[in-house]
Amino acid sequence: MTPPNTPAVPAADLDLEEIGARTGLLDTATEAAGHKLPQVTLLFWVLKIAATTLGETGGDMFAQTLKFGYFLSTIALFAIFVLSLVAQLRSRSYHPAFYWTVILTTSMAGTTISDFMNRDTSYLAPGTASLGWGPQGLGIGYPVGAAILSAMLLATFAVWRATGHPFALGRITGFRAEVLFWTAILISNTLGTSVGDFLSDSSGLGYAGGAALIAAVLAVIAALYKVPAVSNVVLFWAAFVLTRPLGATVGDFFTKPVVKGGLGLGTYGASAVLLVILLAGIGHLTLQQRQRREAPTPVAA
């Protein structure tokens, strides 16, 4: 909350962190020793949506466009996720490139894991007999897949709570807490793909309709940040989970053919645009962090 006597500042003079603090979307906790997760600013949410949308288009690119299939793509992308996570866990401080790479790899792996769980040969394009080597999918369907993943996510949060580690992003420190955090992220990104695909393919809303519905729910969550009785930590995790199905529906809207209600950009074009956005954001955060570290320490009078 903004202190009552804080002077008004023109919006044009505010950076993203200041705007985030004034709108209640910023975790204003300072970066403590050993803290390796970012502050929650408006740029954080922009990059989260870009990364999760890229995870959808990138996962589909490997599994469908390149025809590696869900089975092989899941194995390969999960291995890449593990490698990126090891780099993140071994680092001693926050590195934007490490953090957002793990977010991206969890989104890509989550996309193919969800597709492998929920789909089978009935989801293949007409005239396509198989998609890559190995099983074509478990075919359990979006509702069952979402229910299983929801139970897994709730179980992860229950274990997390039992350990006594805080849920607030600005207070997550230590190896065990960070492992719990990334476990929840992987499961939530996989769950988000199932929910997003259900809204896009099975609910009748279509790609644009599904994205609009999730965006409306996220707008309500943002408004609730101003309600003191509602926990901001709960709202953060609700928004964090929901940005994944938003990415799934937006990603499908970008890539699917026009005749199916999409923009027809394809997985290559959409992934390239989203990658540029993500790299630009990571570059900005890295430069900003470097400038803070190099800034001279004020001398007390």
Side-chain angles (χ1 to χ4, degrees):
M1 297 293 291
T2 303
N5 296 325
T6 300
V9 179
D13 295 334
L14 298 176
D15 63 20
L16 288 173
E17 291 186 6
E18 290 173 320
I19 295 173
R22 291 168 182 269
T23 56
L25 295 175
L26 169 62
D27 180 354
T28 55
T30 56
E31 184 175 335
H35 182 61
K36 300 189 293 182
L37 304 181
Q39 291 183 332
V40 183
T41 66
L42 293 183
L43 181 58
F44 171 91
W45 292 112
V46 171
L47 294 183
K48 173 61 165 60
I49 294 172
T52 53
T53 307
L54 177 57
E56 178 72 17
T57 61
D60 287 346
M61 180 180 69
F62 282 101
Q64 300 175 24
T65 307
L66 296 175
K67 300 187 183 302
F68 291 158
Y70 303 128
F71 183 68
L72 284 180
S73 296
T74 294
I75 294 174
L77 293 175
F78 188 82
I80 294 173
F81 154 68
V82 171
L83 291 175
S84 66
L85 180 59
V86 168
Q88 166 69 18
L89 293 175
R90 287 176 61 86
S91 66
R92 296 186 178 182
S93 60
Y94 168 59
H95 293 281
F98 288 171
Y99 175 85
W100 288 108
T101 296
V102 184
I103 291 291
L104 174 59
T105 56
T106 58
S107 298
M108 295 178 68
T111 295
T112 56
I113 292 172
S114 171
D115 289 344
F116 180 74
M117 288 177 59
N118 300 323
R119 299 181 178 184
D120 54 22
T121 54
S122 64
Y123 288 87
L124 298 178
T128 303
S130 63
L131 190 62
W133 179 85
Q136 300 302 302
L138 300 179
I140 63 177
Y142 297 128
V144 175
I148 293 173
L149 292 164
S150 296
M152 292 174 63
L153 185 60
L154 290 175
T156 300
F157 282 131
V159 172
W160 192 337
R161 182 178 179 85
T163 65
H165 292 293
F167 289 98
L169 192 67
R171 298 175 59 197
I172 297 174
T173 58
F175 179 82
R176 182 183 298 180
E178 197 175 357
V179 168
L180 287 168
F181 171 78
W182 288 115
T183 300
I185 298 307
L186 178 62
I187 297 173
S188 68
N189 280 338
T190 308
L191 171 62
T193 301
S194 297
V195 174
D197 286 346
F198 171 77
L199 291 175
S200 298
D201 299 335
S202 305
S203 69
L205 293 173
Y207 307 123
L213 175 61
I214 299 170
V217 176
L218 286 171
V220 172
I221 291 174
L224 288 175
Y225 265 88
K226 295 296 184 180
V227 180
V230 183
S231 169
N232 281 3
V233 174
V234 172
L235 292 176
F236 166 80
W237 278 103
F240 200 94
V241 171
L242 283 173
T243 50
R244 182 61 188 96
L246 178 65
T249 52
V250 171
D252 285 340
F253 178 64
F254 284 164
T255 59
K256 300 303 182 183
V258 176
V259 294
K260 292 186 176 182
L263 294 179
L265 298 179
T267 57
Y268 294 141
S271 297
V273 172
L274 291 164
L275 182 59
V276 169
I277 294 173
L278 187 60
L279 290 176
I282 292 173
H284 171 77
L285 290 174
T286 302
L287 178 61
Q288 191 177 62
Q289 184 183 49
R290 183 178 303 169
Q291 291 174 339
R292 286 175 177 170
R293 288 175 177 173
E294 295 176 351
T297 303
V299 179

